Amino acid sequence: MRTLTVDLGERSYPIYMGQGISDQISRYLAERGILPSSPLLVVTDSNVAPLHLDRLKTALGEGGYRVHDCIVPAGEASKSLDQLAEIVRVGLEAGLDRSSVIVALGGGVVGDLAGFAAASYMRGIRFVQVPTTILAHDSSVGGKVAVNHPLAKNVIGAFYQPELVLYDMQLLRTLPPRDVRSGLAEVLKEGLILDKEYVEWLSDHADALLALEPKALEDALFEACRIKAEVVGQDERENGIRAVLNLGHTIGHALEAVAGYGTLMHGEAVAIGMVGAARLAEYFGRPRRLTETIRDLLLRFDCPVTIPAELDTDAILEAMMHDKKFREGKLTFILPVDIGRVEISRSVTREQVRSVIEQLKQEEQPCG
Ligand SMILES: NC(=O)c1ccc[n+]([C@@H]2O[C@H](COP(=O)([O-])OP(=O)(O)OC[C@H]3O[C@@H](n4cnc5c(N)ncnc54)[C@H](O)[C@@H]3O)[C@@H](O)[C@H]2O)c1
Ligand SMILES: [Zn+2]
Protein backbone atom coordinates (compact mmCIF):
# COMPACT_ATOMS: atom_id res chain seq x y z
CA MET A 1 0.00 0.00 0.00
CA ARG A 2 1.31 3.45 -0.92
CA THR A 3 0.23 6.80 0.46
CA LEU A 4 0.19 10.37 -0.80
CA THR A 5 -1.08 13.43 0.98
CA VAL A 6 -3.01 16.30 -0.54
CA ASP A 7 -1.57 19.09 1.52
CA LEU A 8 -4.29 21.66 2.24
CA GLY A 9 -3.78 22.64 5.85
CA GLU A 10 -6.67 21.48 7.97
CA ARG A 11 -8.41 20.09 4.88
CA SER A 12 -5.45 17.81 4.05
CA TYR A 13 -6.30 14.21 3.26
CA PRO A 14 -4.60 10.95 2.28
CA ILE A 15 -4.70 9.03 -0.98
CA TYR A 16 -4.18 5.32 -0.35
CA MET A 17 -3.27 3.18 -3.30
CA GLY A 18 -2.79 -0.57 -3.56
CA GLN A 19 -4.16 -3.97 -4.52
CA GLY A 20 -7.34 -5.04 -2.72
CA ILE A 21 -7.27 -2.18 -0.22
CA SER A 22 -10.98 -1.40 -0.51
CA ASP A 23 -11.59 -4.56 1.55
CA GLN A 24 -10.09 -2.57 4.44
CA ILE A 25 -12.34 0.45 3.92
CA SER A 26 -13.80 0.28 7.43
CA ARG A 27 -10.38 0.62 8.97
CA TYR A 28 -9.51 3.62 6.80
CA LEU A 29 -12.81 5.31 7.62
CA ALA A 30 -12.32 4.77 11.33
CA GLU A 31 -8.83 6.28 11.08
CA ARG A 32 -10.43 9.42 9.67
CA GLY A 33 -12.91 9.56 12.51
CA ILE A 34 -15.83 8.28 10.44
CA LEU A 35 -17.78 6.09 12.82
CA PRO A 36 -20.70 3.72 12.22
CA SER A 37 -23.09 5.78 14.36
CA SER A 38 -24.84 7.42 11.38
CA PRO A 39 -26.04 5.71 8.19
CA LEU A 40 -23.71 5.80 5.21
CA LEU A 41 -24.64 6.10 1.53
CA VAL A 42 -22.69 4.50 -1.31
CA VAL A 43 -23.31 6.19 -4.67
CA THR A 44 -22.33 4.16 -7.70
CA ASP A 45 -23.48 3.57 -11.28
CA SER A 46 -25.26 0.80 -13.13
CA ASN A 47 -22.05 -0.65 -14.61
CA VAL A 48 -19.99 -0.61 -11.43
CA ALA A 49 -22.74 -1.83 -9.08
CA PRO A 50 -22.94 -5.42 -10.40
CA LEU A 51 -19.14 -5.67 -10.46
CA HIS A 52 -18.01 -4.14 -7.18
CA LEU A 53 -20.83 -2.92 -4.95
CA ASP A 54 -21.44 -6.13 -2.99
CA ARG A 55 -17.78 -6.47 -2.09
CA LEU A 56 -17.61 -2.91 -0.81
CA LYS A 57 -20.84 -3.27 1.13
CA THR A 58 -19.56 -6.46 2.74
CA ALA A 59 -16.36 -4.68 3.79
CA LEU A 60 -18.37 -1.79 5.23
CA GLY A 61 -20.77 -4.16 6.96
CA GLU A 62 -17.84 -5.86 8.69
CA GLY A 63 -17.01 -2.48 10.21
CA GLY A 64 -20.55 -2.14 11.53
CA TYR A 65 -21.63 0.59 9.08
CA ARG A 66 -25.31 0.75 8.13
CA VAL A 67 -25.02 1.00 4.37
CA HIS A 68 -27.54 2.33 1.85
CA ASP A 69 -26.92 2.68 -1.83
CA CYS A 70 -27.98 4.81 -4.77
CA ILE A 71 -27.26 3.45 -8.25
CA VAL A 72 -27.38 6.04 -11.03
CA PRO A 73 -27.44 5.15 -14.75
CA ALA A 74 -23.88 4.81 -16.07
CA GLY A 75 -22.67 7.68 -18.24
CA GLU A 76 -21.99 11.38 -18.36
CA ALA A 77 -25.71 12.21 -18.63
CA SER A 78 -26.02 11.31 -14.95
CA LYS A 79 -23.99 14.36 -13.94
CA SER A 80 -27.31 16.19 -13.79
CA LEU A 81 -29.51 18.09 -11.35
CA ASP A 82 -32.06 15.25 -11.70
CA GLN A 83 -29.61 12.66 -10.39
CA LEU A 84 -28.48 15.04 -7.68
CA ALA A 85 -32.10 15.27 -6.52
CA GLU A 86 -32.36 11.48 -6.63
CA ILE A 87 -29.34 11.10 -4.32
CA VAL A 88 -30.85 13.63 -1.93
CA ARG A 89 -34.15 11.72 -1.96
CA VAL A 90 -32.43 8.41 -1.20
CA GLY A 91 -30.33 10.11 1.47
CA LEU A 92 -33.34 11.63 3.20
CA GLU A 93 -35.31 8.39 3.09
CA ALA A 94 -32.33 6.48 4.48
CA GLY A 95 -32.05 8.95 7.33
CA LEU A 96 -28.66 10.38 6.42
CA ASP A 97 -27.82 13.12 8.91
CA ARG A 98 -25.08 15.71 9.17
CA SER A 99 -22.66 13.11 10.58
CA SER A 100 -23.26 10.75 7.67
CA VAL A 101 -20.84 10.08 4.87
CA ILE A 102 -21.27 9.56 1.14
CA VAL A 103 -18.92 7.09 -0.51
CA ALA A 104 -18.44 7.58 -4.25
CA LEU A 105 -17.72 4.20 -5.84
CA GLY A 106 -17.08 4.75 -9.53
CA GLY A 107 -15.39 6.83 -12.17
CA GLY A 108 -15.31 10.58 -12.60
CA VAL A 109 -19.03 10.81 -13.21
CA VAL A 110 -19.94 9.21 -9.91
CA GLY A 111 -17.15 11.05 -8.09
CA ASP A 112 -18.19 14.47 -9.38
CA LEU A 113 -21.91 13.84 -8.83
CA ALA A 114 -21.67 12.20 -5.41
CA GLY A 115 -19.12 14.78 -4.31
CA PHE A 116 -21.46 17.62 -5.24
CA ALA A 117 -24.31 15.80 -3.51
CA ALA A 118 -22.13 15.62 -0.38
CA ALA A 119 -21.23 19.31 -0.71
CA SER A 120 -24.88 20.32 -0.83
CA TYR A 121 -26.73 17.73 1.29
CA MET A 122 -27.72 19.55 4.50
CA ARG A 123 -25.13 22.21 3.50
CA GLY A 124 -22.36 19.66 3.39
CA ILE A 125 -21.55 16.21 4.76
CA ARG A 126 -18.29 14.33 4.49
CA PHE A 127 -17.45 12.17 1.50
CA VAL A 128 -14.95 9.54 0.45
CA GLN A 129 -13.71 8.71 -3.02
CA VAL A 130 -13.28 5.10 -4.09
CA PRO A 131 -12.29 5.62 -7.74
CA THR A 132 -12.79 2.73 -10.15
CA THR A 133 -11.43 4.15 -13.41
CA ILE A 134 -7.99 5.20 -14.58
CA LEU A 135 -9.34 8.63 -15.39
CA ALA A 136 -10.56 9.02 -11.83
CA HIS A 137 -6.95 9.43 -10.64
CA ASP A 138 -7.64 12.99 -11.72
CA SER A 139 -11.26 13.51 -10.75
CA SER A 140 -11.04 11.91 -7.29
CA VAL A 141 -8.18 14.15 -6.15
CA GLY A 142 -8.55 17.89 -5.70
CA GLY A 143 -12.14 18.46 -4.66
CA LYS A 144 -13.69 19.80 -7.85
CA VAL A 145 -17.23 18.45 -7.76
CA ALA A 146 -20.02 19.33 -10.17
CA VAL A 147 -22.94 18.45 -12.37
CA ASN A 148 -23.46 19.58 -15.95
CA HIS A 149 -25.96 21.97 -17.49
CA PRO A 150 -27.18 21.07 -21.01
CA LEU A 151 -25.36 24.19 -22.26
CA ALA A 152 -22.00 23.56 -20.60
CA LYS A 153 -20.04 21.07 -18.55
CA ASN A 154 -19.39 21.29 -14.81
CA VAL A 155 -20.98 24.72 -14.44
CA ILE A 156 -23.00 23.82 -11.31
CA GLY A 157 -20.48 22.80 -8.71
CA ALA A 158 -18.17 23.50 -5.82
CA PHE A 159 -14.70 23.01 -4.42
CA TYR A 160 -15.25 20.35 -1.79
CA GLN A 161 -12.49 18.05 -0.62
CA PRO A 162 -13.03 14.37 0.28
CA GLU A 163 -11.97 12.85 3.60
CA LEU A 164 -9.81 10.34 1.82
CA VAL A 165 -9.24 8.64 -1.52
CA LEU A 166 -9.04 4.87 -1.55
CA TYR A 167 -7.63 3.76 -4.91
CA ASP A 168 -7.88 -0.01 -5.17
CA MET A 169 -6.07 -1.21 -8.28
CA GLN A 170 -8.03 -4.47 -8.30
CA LEU A 171 -11.21 -2.58 -9.11
CA LEU A 172 -9.68 -1.39 -12.39
CA ARG A 173 -9.36 -4.90 -13.80
CA THR A 174 -12.91 -4.88 -15.11
CA LEU A 175 -12.50 -1.69 -17.18
CA PRO A 176 -13.47 -1.95 -20.85
CA PRO A 177 -10.68 -1.08 -23.33
CA ARG A 178 -12.25 2.21 -24.38
CA ASP A 179 -12.26 3.46 -20.77
CA VAL A 180 -8.67 2.32 -20.37
CA ARG A 181 -7.59 4.40 -23.35
CA SER A 182 -9.65 7.39 -22.29
CA GLY A 183 -8.15 7.27 -18.80
CA LEU A 184 -4.61 6.93 -20.11
CA ALA A 185 -5.09 10.10 -22.18
CA GLU A 186 -5.63 12.03 -18.97
CA VAL A 187 -2.63 10.28 -17.35
CA LEU A 188 -0.54 11.40 -20.28
CA LYS A 189 -1.87 14.92 -19.77
CA GLU A 190 -0.35 15.07 -16.27
CA GLY A 191 3.05 14.27 -17.75
CA LEU A 192 2.72 16.63 -20.71
CA ILE A 193 2.09 19.45 -18.26
CA LEU A 194 4.88 18.90 -15.79
CA ASP A 195 7.14 15.92 -16.24
CA LYS A 196 9.03 14.96 -19.37
CA GLU A 197 10.67 11.90 -17.83
CA TYR A 198 7.29 10.56 -16.81
CA VAL A 199 6.03 11.00 -20.38
CA GLU A 200 8.96 8.98 -21.65
CA TRP A 201 8.29 6.29 -19.07
CA LEU A 202 4.60 6.20 -20.06
CA SER A 203 5.49 5.90 -23.71
CA ASP A 204 7.87 3.00 -22.97
CA HIS A 205 5.16 1.24 -20.93
CA ALA A 206 2.22 1.93 -23.25
CA ASP A 207 1.58 -1.73 -24.08
CA ALA A 208 1.77 -2.82 -20.42
CA LEU A 209 -0.61 -0.03 -19.44
CA LEU A 210 -3.11 -0.78 -22.19
CA ALA A 211 -3.02 -4.42 -21.00
CA LEU A 212 -3.68 -3.25 -17.40
CA GLU A 213 -0.47 -4.88 -16.18
CA PRO A 214 -0.79 -4.34 -12.39
CA LYS A 215 2.71 -3.10 -11.55
CA ALA A 216 2.91 -0.68 -14.48
CA LEU A 217 -0.59 0.61 -13.79
CA GLU A 218 0.05 1.22 -10.12
CA ASP A 219 3.34 3.00 -10.83
CA ALA A 220 1.70 5.16 -13.51
CA LEU A 221 -1.25 6.13 -11.32
CA PHE A 222 0.88 6.82 -8.29
CA GLU A 223 2.87 9.34 -10.28
CA ALA A 224 -0.26 10.82 -11.88
CA CYS A 225 -1.86 11.29 -8.44
CA ARG A 226 1.39 12.75 -7.12
CA ILE A 227 1.43 15.39 -9.84
CA LYS A 228 -2.26 16.17 -9.31
CA ALA A 229 -1.89 16.39 -5.52
CA GLU A 230 1.13 18.65 -5.84
CA VAL A 231 -0.63 21.11 -8.13
CA VAL A 232 -3.79 21.15 -6.01
CA GLY A 233 -1.71 21.65 -2.87
CA GLN A 234 -0.28 24.82 -4.41
CA ASP A 235 -3.56 26.27 -5.69
CA GLU A 236 -6.72 24.64 -4.40
CA ARG A 237 -9.17 27.07 -6.00
CA GLU A 238 -7.53 27.54 -9.36
CA ASN A 239 -6.44 31.12 -8.96
CA GLY A 240 -3.23 30.37 -10.79
CA ILE A 241 -1.11 27.28 -11.37
CA ARG A 242 -3.98 24.74 -11.10
CA ALA A 243 -5.28 25.98 -14.44
CA VAL A 244 -2.47 24.06 -16.17
CA LEU A 245 -4.41 20.85 -15.44
CA ASN A 246 -6.89 22.07 -18.04
CA LEU A 247 -4.54 21.27 -20.93
CA GLY A 248 -6.79 19.98 -23.73
CA HIS A 249 -9.96 20.85 -21.84
CA THR A 250 -11.04 24.11 -23.49
CA ILE A 251 -11.62 22.35 -26.80
CA GLY A 252 -12.29 19.00 -25.06
CA HIS A 253 -15.22 20.19 -22.95
CA ALA A 254 -16.80 21.88 -25.97
CA LEU A 255 -16.51 18.67 -28.02
CA GLU A 256 -18.15 16.67 -25.23
CA ALA A 257 -21.06 19.09 -25.02
CA VAL A 258 -21.59 19.37 -28.79
CA ALA A 259 -21.25 15.64 -29.49
CA GLY A 260 -23.86 15.05 -26.75
CA TYR A 261 -22.71 14.05 -23.28
CA GLY A 262 -21.40 10.49 -23.31
CA THR A 263 -20.83 10.24 -27.07
CA LEU A 264 -17.17 11.15 -26.79
CA MET A 265 -15.57 9.96 -23.56
CA HIS A 266 -13.98 12.69 -21.45
CA GLY A 267 -10.43 11.42 -22.00
CA GLU A 268 -11.04 11.07 -25.74
CA ALA A 269 -12.23 14.67 -25.96
CA VAL A 270 -9.20 15.79 -23.93
CA ALA A 271 -6.87 13.85 -26.26
CA ILE A 272 -8.26 15.71 -29.28
CA GLY A 273 -8.15 18.95 -27.28
CA MET A 274 -4.44 18.46 -26.51
CA VAL A 275 -3.65 18.13 -30.21
CA GLY A 276 -5.73 21.29 -30.75
CA ALA A 277 -3.79 23.13 -28.05
CA ALA A 278 -0.51 22.09 -29.67
CA ARG A 279 -1.75 23.38 -33.03
CA LEU A 280 -2.69 26.69 -31.40
CA ALA A 281 0.76 26.88 -29.82
CA GLU A 282 2.21 26.88 -33.32
CA TYR A 283 0.72 30.36 -33.80
CA PHE A 284 2.92 31.47 -30.90
CA GLY A 285 6.12 30.07 -32.29
CA ARG A 286 6.12 26.47 -31.08
CA PRO A 287 7.40 23.99 -33.63
CA ARG A 288 5.14 21.68 -35.63
CA ARG A 289 7.46 18.91 -34.34
CA LEU A 290 6.01 19.38 -30.83
CA THR A 291 2.47 18.88 -32.14
CA GLU A 292 3.58 15.75 -33.98
CA THR A 293 5.25 14.34 -30.84
CA ILE A 294 2.11 14.88 -28.77
CA ARG A 295 -0.04 13.38 -31.50
CA ASP A 296 2.23 10.33 -31.80
CA LEU A 297 2.16 9.80 -28.02
CA LEU A 298 -1.64 9.84 -28.04
CA LEU A 299 -1.67 7.40 -30.94
CA ARG A 300 0.57 5.05 -28.91
CA PHE A 301 -2.39 4.89 -26.51
CA ASP A 302 -4.94 4.45 -29.34
CA CYS A 303 -6.56 7.79 -28.57
CA PRO A 304 -8.48 9.89 -31.10
CA VAL A 305 -6.57 12.89 -32.47
CA THR A 306 -9.09 14.32 -34.94
CA ILE A 307 -12.50 15.96 -34.55
CA PRO A 308 -15.47 13.97 -35.89
CA ALA A 309 -16.38 15.79 -39.14
CA GLU A 310 -20.11 15.90 -38.32
CA LEU A 311 -19.58 18.22 -35.32
CA ASP A 312 -20.49 21.78 -36.23
CA THR A 313 -17.61 24.25 -35.92
CA ASP A 314 -19.85 27.15 -34.83
CA ALA A 315 -21.50 24.98 -32.21
CA ILE A 316 -18.07 24.02 -30.82
CA LEU A 317 -17.02 27.68 -30.68
CA GLU A 318 -20.33 28.61 -29.06
CA ALA A 319 -19.89 25.90 -26.41
CA MET A 320 -16.46 27.33 -25.55
CA MET A 321 -18.03 30.68 -24.78
CA HIS A 322 -20.04 29.03 -22.00
CA ASP A 323 -16.94 27.44 -20.53
CA LYS A 324 -15.62 28.54 -17.14
CA LYS A 325 -12.35 29.30 -18.88
CA PHE A 326 -14.09 32.07 -20.84
CA ARG A 327 -13.78 35.29 -18.84
CA GLU A 328 -13.91 38.98 -19.64
CA GLY A 329 -14.46 38.24 -23.32
CA LYS A 330 -11.37 36.04 -23.60
CA LEU A 331 -10.69 32.33 -23.64
CA THR A 332 -7.94 30.86 -21.53
CA PHE A 333 -5.87 28.19 -23.22
CA ILE A 334 -3.15 26.02 -21.78
CA LEU A 335 -0.57 25.72 -24.53
CA PRO A 336 2.33 23.29 -24.64
CA VAL A 337 5.77 24.88 -24.70
CA ASP A 338 7.72 21.63 -24.70
CA ILE A 339 7.05 18.10 -23.48
CA GLY A 340 6.51 18.53 -19.73
CA ARG A 341 6.02 22.29 -19.92
CA VAL A 342 2.98 24.47 -20.65
CA GLU A 343 1.99 28.13 -20.49
CA ILE A 344 -1.30 29.84 -19.74
CA SER A 345 -2.38 32.01 -22.67
CA ARG A 346 -5.14 34.59 -22.97
CA SER A 347 -4.04 35.64 -26.44
CA VAL A 348 -5.63 32.96 -28.60
CA THR A 349 -8.18 34.46 -30.99
CA ARG A 350 -11.50 33.02 -32.05
CA GLU A 351 -10.27 32.86 -35.65
CA GLN A 352 -7.23 30.81 -34.65
CA VAL A 353 -9.47 28.36 -32.77
CA ARG A 354 -11.84 28.15 -35.74
CA SER A 355 -8.99 27.41 -38.08
CA VAL A 356 -7.58 24.66 -35.82
CA ILE A 357 -11.01 23.07 -35.42
CA GLU A 358 -11.45 23.04 -39.19
CA GLN A 359 -8.01 21.47 -39.65
CA LEU A 360 -8.74 18.75 -37.08
CA LYS A 361 -12.08 18.00 -38.76
CA GLN A 362 -10.48 17.57 -42.16
CA GLU A 363 -7.77 15.18 -41.01
CA GLU A 364 -8.28 11.45 -40.94
CA GLN A 365 -7.77 9.45 -37.76
CA PRO A 366 -4.76 7.19 -38.40
CA CYS A 367 -5.43 3.50 -37.80
CA GLY A 368 -4.04 2.23 -34.47
N1 LIG B 1 -13.38 16.70 -10.74
C1 LIG B 1 -12.31 16.74 -11.49
O1 LIG B 1 -11.30 17.34 -11.15
C2 LIG B 1 -12.33 15.98 -12.78
C3 LIG B 1 -11.13 15.71 -13.44
C4 LIG B 1 -11.17 14.95 -14.60
C5 LIG B 1 -12.39 14.48 -15.07
N2 LIG B 1 -13.54 14.76 -14.41
C6 LIG B 1 -14.84 14.24 -14.86
O2 LIG B 1 -14.77 12.83 -14.86
C7 LIG B 1 -15.72 12.32 -15.80
C8 LIG B 1 -15.10 11.21 -16.59
O3 LIG B 1 -14.67 10.19 -15.73
P1 LIG B 1 -14.61 8.68 -16.20
O4 LIG B 1 -13.92 8.57 -17.51
O5 LIG B 1 -14.11 7.89 -15.06
O6 LIG B 1 -16.14 8.40 -16.56
P2 LIG B 1 -17.24 7.44 -15.94
O7 LIG B 1 -17.39 7.64 -14.51
O8 LIG B 1 -18.44 7.62 -16.80
O9 LIG B 1 -16.67 5.99 -16.19
C9 LIG B 1 -16.47 5.53 -17.50
C10 LIG B 1 -17.25 4.24 -17.76
O10 LIG B 1 -16.63 3.17 -17.07
C11 LIG B 1 -17.58 2.47 -16.28
N3 LIG B 1 -16.82 1.94 -15.16
C12 LIG B 1 -16.33 2.65 -14.11
N4 LIG B 1 -15.55 1.86 -13.35
C13 LIG B 1 -15.56 0.64 -13.93
C14 LIG B 1 -14.93 -0.58 -13.61
N5 LIG B 1 -14.09 -0.70 -12.60
N6 LIG B 1 -15.18 -1.65 -14.41
C15 LIG B 1 -16.00 -1.54 -15.49
N7 LIG B 1 -16.59 -0.39 -15.85
C16 LIG B 1 -16.37 0.68 -15.08
C17 LIG B 1 -18.62 3.48 -15.97
O11 LIG B 1 -19.85 2.87 -15.67
C18 LIG B 1 -18.69 4.26 -17.28
O12 LIG B 1 -19.48 3.58 -18.21
C19 LIG B 1 -16.15 13.49 -16.63
O13 LIG B 1 -17.44 13.89 -16.24
C20 LIG B 1 -15.16 14.58 -16.28
O14 LIG B 1 -15.70 15.87 -16.40
C21 LIG B 1 -13.53 15.49 -13.28
ZN1 LIG C 1 -10.15 16.02 -17.42
Side-chain angles (χ1 to χ4, degrees):
M1 203 266 293
R2 293 195 255 187
T3 310
L4 288 161
T5 303
V6 185
D7 200 351
L8 293 169
E10 60 186 18
R11 275 171 289 103
S12 297
Y13 55 93
I15 305 167
Y16 298 120
M17 191 180 279
Q19 307 286 337
I21 59 171
S22 60
D23 291 335
Q24 309 297 317
I25 185 168
S26 293
R27 181 161 67 79
Y28 294 112
L29 293 184
E31 265 176 24
R32 296 290 291 168
I34 298 168
L35 304 172
S37 37
S38 292
L40 175 153
L41 180 66
V42 180
V43 177
T44 189
D45 75 24
S46 53
N47 288 339
V48 179
L51 297 168
H52 303 297
L53 179 59
D54 280 352
R55 184 170 164 183
L56 193 76
K57 283 174 87 170
T58 303
L60 286 161
E62 282 164 5
Y65 294 92
R66 281 173 290 144
V67 186
H68 299 266
D69 60 62
C70 179
I71 302 171
V72 303
E76 182 73 27
S78 280
K79 266 174 69 171
S80 66
L81 287 172
D82 284 350
Q83 291 304 328
L84 174 70
E86 177 61 11
I87 295 172
V88 172
R89 183 189 67 75
V90 173
L92 289 171
E93 286 182 4
L96 253 64
D97 60 35
R98 298 203 68 194
S99 300
S100 289
V101 167
I102 290 180
V103 176
L105 172 70
V109 164
V110 163
D112 284 10
L113 169 68
F116 188 54
S120 37
Y121 186 83
M122 296 187 172
R123 297 205 180 88
I125 60 173
R126 294 171 294 175
F127 87 113
V128 170
Q129 292 272 16
V130 183
T132 65
T133 64
I134 293 172
L135 193 134
H137 80 271
D138 193 6
S139 54
S140 65
V141 174
K144 278 192 183 178
V145 295
V147 297
N148 300 326
H149 185 277
L151 286 176
K153 242 182 94 88
N154 297 337
V155 285
I156 308 164
F159 287 98
Y160 198 67
Q161 303 294 341
E163 292 299 306
L164 78 133
V165 180
L166 202 55
Y167 211 169
D168 183 346
M169 297 293 115
Q170 280 183 6
L171 304 183
L172 304 180
R173 284 190 198 154
T174 51
L175 279 174
R178 193 174 169 197
D179 296 282
V180 172
R181 296 193 294 265
S182 165
L184 289 172
E186 195 110 51
V187 168
L188 198 55
K189 179 207 74 177
E190 318 296 2
L192 289 174
I193 292 166
L194 277 173
D195 195 334
K196 185 173 186 171
E197 261 178 51
Y198 177 50
V199 171
E200 284 162 2
W201 184 93
L202 288 170
S203 177
D204 290 345
H205 292 79
D207 293 336
L209 292 169
L210 286 165
L212 294 177
E213 201 265 289
K215 171 85 170 75
L217 193 61
E218 192 174 327
D219 288 348
L221 291 177
F222 186 80
E223 195 56 22
C225 286
R226 191 193 60 72
I227 293 173
K228 175 88 196 238
E230 192 177 302
V231 174
V232 170
Q234 287 175 41
D235 177 23
E236 181 183 9
R237 292 192 160 240
E238 200 169 310
N239 295 316
I241 178 80
R242 184 168 179 171
V244 299
L245 294 169
N246 294 325
L247 174 65
H249 284 62
T250 313
I251 292 176
H253 279 169
L255 295 177
E256 278 184 89
V258 173
Y261 290 125
T263 309
L264 269 176
M265 299 209 64
H266 178 70
E268 294 173 339
V270 170
I272 302 167
M274 290 195 283
V275 179
R279 282 280 161 84
L280 288 170
E282 291 177 30
Y283 286 107
F284 301 91
R286 307 300 166 207
R288 169 55 68 101
R289 200 180 57 250
L290 179 60
T291 310
E292 296 305 329
T293 306
I294 291 174
R295 194 168 176 274
D296 289 348
L297 280 164
L298 288 163
L299 289 172
R300 281 281 282 133
F301 289 94
D302 289 334
C303 289
V305 292
T306 60
I307 296 179
E310 66 274 15
L311 298 188
D312 182 61
T313 303
D314 286 318
I316 298 169
L317 285 165
E318 187 58 29
M320 280 185 209
M321 303 305 146
H322 294 300
D323 197 279
K324 296 188 295 313
K325 291 175 279 300
F326 182 69
R327 274 192 216 168
E328 294 156 10
K330 284 194 173 161
L331 274 167
T332 304
F333 271 90
I334 311 306
L335 301 181
V337 173
D338 196 353
I339 300 297
R341 213 150 65 81
V342 292
E343 65 182 354
I344 301 174
S345 170
R346 306 257 293 150
S347 308
V348 175
T349 66
R350 198 180 158 103
E351 281 322 301
Q352 288 167 338
V353 184
R354 176 187 292 282
S355 162
V356 164
I357 293 170
E358 288 294 335
Q359 286 170 37
L360 292 179
K361 276 170 68 171
Q362 276 153 23
E363 286 173 14
E364 274 190 35
Q365 173 74 22
C367 297

